[in-house]
Amino acid sequence: LCFEIGGIVGAALTGEPYKSGMPIAIDGVNNGTQHLAAMSKDEKAGELVGLTPLTVPRDFYLKIGKGMLDVNQDTDIGKKLKKIPMKLIRKGISKRGSMTRAYDAGAMKIGEIIYQDSYDAGLVSKYKITRSDARVLGKDLVKVYDKVCTGPVDIKKFLQSLVKYRIQNMKLNDVTWVTPSGFPATTEKFIQVKSFCKASINAKRINHVYLERTERPATVEHLSAIGANWVHSYDASHMSLVINKLTSNSFGAIHDSYSSHACDVQEMVDTTKEVFIDMYKDNIFDRMREFIVYGADANTEDPECGSLDLELIRESDFFFC
């Protein structure tokens, strides 16, 4: 960046043209929740993650952080949180937990994330955030996220109901589907059991314990993974389809951060919006049924959709920004 600025300033002084090679990035706003909000047409969640036009962007992580403060108004943890600036609560407590909750991380895992991020942000030493506090905050974050993002939560529950039917009623061991970019996806989860093996080294007996895979599907693991796997397959498809549609040959990416040269950024922004809208224009629930249960009557009703109009994404300045 320093060399680029130097080149631009130098060119301005000499009057010579300067060709920049600087990658300019645009990032999705909590990308997992963006996809889930689009699937469920949840207008409230959609507004928080840039799917509707706003003059000033909403801060999704701040919203979750404030919700966690409200939950802890009269608790000992709440007294600690009141002393912490909101920007640090956002950074150390609500941000990464909210991101991973979109992919169905549980309260225990989120608690571990909160403690690690609190440690990195200096909250552990300065504000005495303990591992016990982090475990409680992990549970609180799950409650707040699920209350704020009802549509995304319903989508994940719907997927779980289809997977449960596939395994228990159709007697299938895996879950397969084809992504919007045409990529075939398969997940396998099998129950593992402990096995034992006795051996000896230098006349000393050693008991080895290891996990051996059975042929029985691990239903609980399938159910906990399907939300994250489905959403990841769709955000990967989004990127793939954007790349294929761009006329520019320059593209960089880190998950939901897309980059190109400055002259191509507007095309990248427009293409990112158009592809996303196109991905969700058809009935997503029919697609889920088609692949997971082959259209069988799984006794599951479609989740109740909100009123989000995905066409509004075209007017949003904060979808990817």
Side-chain angles (χ1 to χ4, degrees), residues 183-195:
F183 189 87
T186 301
T187 64
E188 292 182 336
K189 303 283 182 181
F190 292 96
I191 292 174
Q192 294 180 310
V193 295
K194 285 185 178 180
S195 294

Side-chain angles (χ1 to χ4, degrees), residues 37-81:
M39 293 180 200
S40 60
K41 306 298 188 290
D42 185 335
E43 68 279 6
K44 292 181 180 178
E47 181 181 288
L48 288 170
V49 292
L51 301 191
T52 58
L54 295 169
T55 306
V56 179
R58 296 293 180 88
D59 192 320
F60 182 75
Y61 308 119
L62 207 59
K63 173 78 173 179
I64 299 297
K66 288 180 178 177
M68 295 170 74
L69 281 172
D70 292 340
V71 169
N72 286 285
Q73 276 188 346
D74 301 316
T75 68
D76 291 337
I77 295 176
K79 293 175 183 177
K80 293 182 181 181
L81 295 180

Side-chain angles (χ1 to χ4, degrees), residues 285-300:
F285 309 124
D286 287 347
R287 188 173 180 85
M288 291 171 176
R289 282 196 175 91
E290 174 189 352
F291 287 114
I292 298 177
V293 297
Y294 307 145
D297 182 9
N299 296 320
T300 54

